[in-house]
Amino acid sequence: MSVKAKTLIIQVSTEQQSITTTHDSMDSPQEHLSEFMEKLSSILTELKDDKRVVMISNPQIQKAIESLEVDFRRAKSLVKSSRISPTHDENIEQVIQTLARGLGLVLFASHDVVESTKKAEIEVLRRELMKMSSVNRTNLIMSSDESEFSSYDRGVVEEDDRTTIDVDGIVEEDDRIALDVDEIVEENDKITLDVDDVVVQIKYGDDELLKYALNGLKSLVLDGMITKEGIHHEDMIPVLFNRLSSSKTDHRLIILRILQALAAQDDEHKEKMAEMGNLSILVKSLGHDLEEQKEAVGLLLSLSDVAAVRRRVGRIQGCIVMLAAIFNGDDQMSSHDAANLLNSLSGNTQYALHMAEAGYFKPLVHYLNQGSDMSKILMATALSRMELTDQNRANLGQDGAVEPLVKMFTSGNLEAKQSSLNALHNLSALKANVQRLIKLGIVATLLQLLFSVTSVLMTLREPASAILAKIAAQSEVGIVLVKQDVAQQMISLLHLTSPVIQCHLLEALNAIAACPNASKVRRKMKETGAVRLLLPFLTESRNTKIRNGALNLIYVLSNDMQGGELMEQLEQMHLNTLINIVSSSSTTDDEKAAAVGILSNFPVSDKNVTDMFIKANLLPILVSILTSSTPTTPHLLAENVSAVLIRFTLPSDKKLQHFSVENGVISVLVKLLTCGSIIAKCRAATSLTQLSQNSLTLRKSRKSRWFSCAPPHSTDTFCQVHDGHCSIKTTFCLVKAGAMPPLVQILQGNERAADEAALSCLATLQQDEIWENGSNLLVKMSCVQPIIKILEEGISLKAQEKSLWILEKIFKVEAYRVEYGEYAQVVLIDLAQNGDSLLKPTVAKLLAQLELLQQQSSYF
């Protein structure tokens, strides 16, 4: 028995009379309706006379009022009718319900127009109608049961005693009927609109009303209160899709959830949603915010059961791209649904290709593994033409694309070999994929193909050489080619192949030669005349990549050449070619760096080479390169130029030094000390050291006899270190050149590779009779602490030797022994105990200077 019904105690002897009396005591539905008609007439008049309602040409309001007027006229005619029929009360009940619904529509439509007092009045009347409708339904139920009670009285009750009859059976049978009128009224107050009202509001309602209507429809659908026929009759699905294309975000979310519920309930709903226009609207939601994306991709996935959806949705512009983006997004549920949807579409090979272009590769890999021969070739060809990022290549490797492509290359026909090799070339730009290729044993097959003379396979040489170049470029795995000892064979092919293959071969050869443990390969290449085979490519003007590749390889090989070995390989014409490359404005900085690097590997002491460089006007060209250099200039170019400048600053040739200084060498060397790489700084310091070694002999003494007859010198030219008049051009003075601050900065920095060169340069200021002036300057420039630190760190033995030499000069001054001796003695004692034996004699001298030798003699 329902909780709304309790055991009904009926006094059988008075039952008929009680029911009849109760029924007769109530006003008839017709009389109740008459009372409401007067109130409703007043409300209709006021609405039609309301200026705001009239001025706002809102079709929703006008339609609602017109509909209410029609219902009003029908009710009015029913009230006037005196005909009593079995269905009369039921007709009145229907009219009351219709009027209540009509008032509700008016309330919705005129929400922002009608005054609040008027809205309250309409709402009160609507509630009264709803309550009256509930009472009438209850009376009708009771009237229909009256005959059953009478029959029971006549056929069963034969005594006048008051008998209690338990009507549990009756209540259970009619458990759907609520007997408590108050409960019925309360329940009906919650129902504001039926399905018709919802459809009207979804079609025509503004944003606020639409939200209420959508929520109402969602409840009806989820509760199963609306039938499939009702959905189709009201064209609910087209209406919802129409609203989906024009509503704001929160409304679209509700619509998508309603559509999902409908799709889950019936396959016919899915068929209706599968129309192209609906799918196009749905795909647009994939480009909105994350929550809407999630709902849209979920709905599309549920619709993908329909073949038409799978056929159509992939053709919608941007659909596959957005699905791939969602798959790669952060939301796991959306990503999972997007992957499943993409997989369901992948039965179409064109869709699979679109997915790959959008970054979703699983269907493409599936076709490479299990597709037909033509499908495999199609996928491989497409893959070879795609512009892939490293992440794309990584994904393809992880998804298993490399293995089927290698299989196609090794066992497929010519077309399969061609397409798979091109695809593998695209994938081989990533180190992880190169390692996969090596593990699969492709190197030997590629080399065999490269050196094959079979005409049919000649077309495959180009992609094969490209892949070998990629394998060689990976230093850790390029050793495979070093072990294969194929460099000489590759060089022999250079003059027998096309320019494209030449580029790939030179790229591979450069990578092989640059391997740290390829010294034997480099030596063998030099011994077999590799340099001479490469020299003709230096004049290549049509393909700069070939020229650059040849230049780099000659440069790498020349780094290992000793003495006049390089001169034996290159003639005067080749030197001129290299210098033309350096001076040309059309060559790249990388080409210039390689060419200058080759020139820097000629023996510094070879005066014939120096004369050729001077005759070719090389020095001004090099100075110009450094003068115009910027932070973006390749380090190698500046490093190689600074290496060549060492030749032009040899201390044994003062005339050459003057020539160099007149061409601006010192200023560019100081620039390198300031902003060059550590290698460039080291080489620049070496050149400045060579120049500074002659500063003392080039100075003009203050006491020279001709000084009084000479024009007076400016006090700015006098040098406290050299105790004479100095300048950059005449004495190559480090102090006047402004080289001291960057040299000290090298000592104070964290990189130790240039310490020896910087210390050697500073030591030139402590020569002979100027040692004390130089020591004073070094102390003034705060050099002592970093020098002791270099001595302590002991990274370079030669740098330690130079540091000890400088400190020995400084500690000749008693004031400096007092100031720095205590700090230095800890390091010196440690060196005496644990340092290199070559340092101990100098360390002993310093300890003696500090008067520690006798006290600490046990250390020696």
Side-chain angles (χ1 to χ4, degrees), residues 1 50 57 69 104 140 350 357 376 491 500 548 658 854:
M1 185 174 67
D50 192 321
S57 300
E69 280 188 295
L140 286 171
Q350 289 302 315
E357 290 168 353
K376 291 178 180 179
I491 290 177
V500 174
N548 195 19
H658 277 291
Q854 192 171 18

Side-chain angles (χ1 to χ4, degrees), residues 790-806:
I790 291 169
L791 195 62
E792 181 181 14
E793 291 181 354
I795 295 175
S796 166
L797 179 61
K798 290 186 176 180
Q800 285 182 307
E801 287 179 325
K802 193 60 66 175
S803 297
L804 289 171
W805 189 91
I806 293 173

Side-chain angles (χ1 to χ4, degrees), residues 173-209:
E173 184 179 352
D174 295 321
D175 196 46
R176 299 183 307 275
I177 304 171
L179 298 178
D180 190 327
V181 173
D182 291 335
E183 289 184 15
I184 295 172
V185 173
E186 181 181 348
E187 184 178 346
N188 277 286
D189 280 346
K190 297 176 184 176
I191 303 172
T192 56
L193 296 174
D194 63 8
V195 177
D196 294 336
D197 303 328
V198 167
V199 173
V200 170
Q201 290 308 315
I202 291 175
K203 285 182 178 179
Y204 306 111
D206 58 20
D207 285 344
E208 186 171 351
L209 298 180

Side-chain angles (χ1 to χ4, degrees), residues 792-832:
E792 181 181 14
E793 291 181 354
I795 295 175
S796 166
L797 179 61
K798 290 186 176 180
Q800 285 182 307
E801 287 179 325
K802 193 60 66 175
S803 297
L804 289 171
W805 189 91
I806 293 173
L807 286 176
E808 184 186 356
K809 298 288 185 182
I810 292 174
F811 285 163
K812 286 182 179 181
V813 180
E814 182 178 357
Y816 300 149
R817 290 199 301 272
V818 172
E819 185 175 356
Y820 299 107
E822 184 176 355
Y823 175 51
Q825 72 180 24
V826 177
V827 178
L828 292 171
I829 291 172
D830 182 67
L831 283 174

Side-chain angles (χ1 to χ4, degrees), residues 190-379:
K190 297 176 184 176
I191 303 172
T192 56
L193 296 174
D194 63 8
V195 177
D196 294 336
D197 303 328
V198 167
V199 173
V200 170
Q201 290 308 315
I202 291 175
K203 285 182 178 179
Y204 306 111
D206 58 20
D207 285 344
E208 186 171 351
L209 298 180
L210 176 62
K211 183 176 182 179
Y212 293 129
L214 288 172
N215 281 321
L217 178 60
K218 186 173 80 169
S219 298
L220 290 171
V221 172
L222 293 176
D223 294 341
M225 299 297 290
I226 184 169
T227 64
K228 177 175 70 175
E229 290 73 17
I231 295 294
H232 292 318
H233 176 72
E234 298 292 349
D235 276 340
M236 187 62 69
I237 289 173
V239 168
L240 288 171
F241 273 100
N242 184 52
R243 272 300 197 173
L244 182 63
S245 66
S246 60
S247 299
K248 58 185 184 180
T249 302
D250 55 345
H251 295 165
R252 292 199 300 269
L253 283 173
I254 302 172
I255 293 170
L256 288 168
R257 287 163 185 161
I258 294 170
L259 290 170
Q260 285 207 53
L262 291 174
Q265 289 177 359
D266 196 279
D267 287 344
E268 289 188 24
H269 296 334
K270 290 184 180 181
E271 295 285 351
K272 191 72 173 177
M273 296 179 198
E275 294 179 4
M276 194 65 176
N278 295 339
L279 294 175
S280 298
I281 294 170
L282 189 53
V283 165
K284 290 180 181 179
S285 289
L286 296 176
H288 293 155
D289 61 48
L290 294 177
E291 196 63 31
E292 187 171 344
Q293 275 184 1
K294 182 187 296 184
E295 299 295 339
V297 75
L299 177 54
L300 280 171
L301 179 60
S302 66
L303 295 179
S304 64
D305 295 342
V306 181
V309 172
R310 297 194 298 273
R311 187 172 61 253
R312 294 167 183 166
V313 74
R315 298 202 303 265
I316 299 174
Q317 186 175 9
C319 177
I320 289 176
V321 173
M322 286 189 283
L323 287 173
I326 294 170
F327 166 74
N328 291 313
D330 297 329
D331 189 279
Q332 291 185 354
M333 182 179 293
S334 298
S335 177
H336 179 266
D337 287 348
N340 287 334
L341 180 54
L342 288 167
N343 291 335
S344 72
L345 302 179
S346 63
N348 184 311
T349 55
Q350 289 302 315
Y351 291 170
L353 289 176
H354 290 324
M355 292 173 200
E357 290 168 353
Y360 185 72
F361 301 104
K362 291 183 185 297
L364 180 143
V365 174
H366 174 78
Y367 278 107
L368 288 175
N369 276 301
Q370 301 181 24
S372 64
D373 290 344
M374 285 308 300
S375 294
K376 291 178 180 179
I377 292 172
L378 175 65
M379 296 299 159

Side-chain angles (χ1 to χ4, degrees), residues 497-518:
T497 55
S498 67
V500 174
I501 297 176
Q502 286 175 340
C503 285
H504 295 320
L505 290 175
L506 285 168
E507 185 180 348
L509 286 166
N510 271 290
I512 292 171
C515 282
N517 34 357

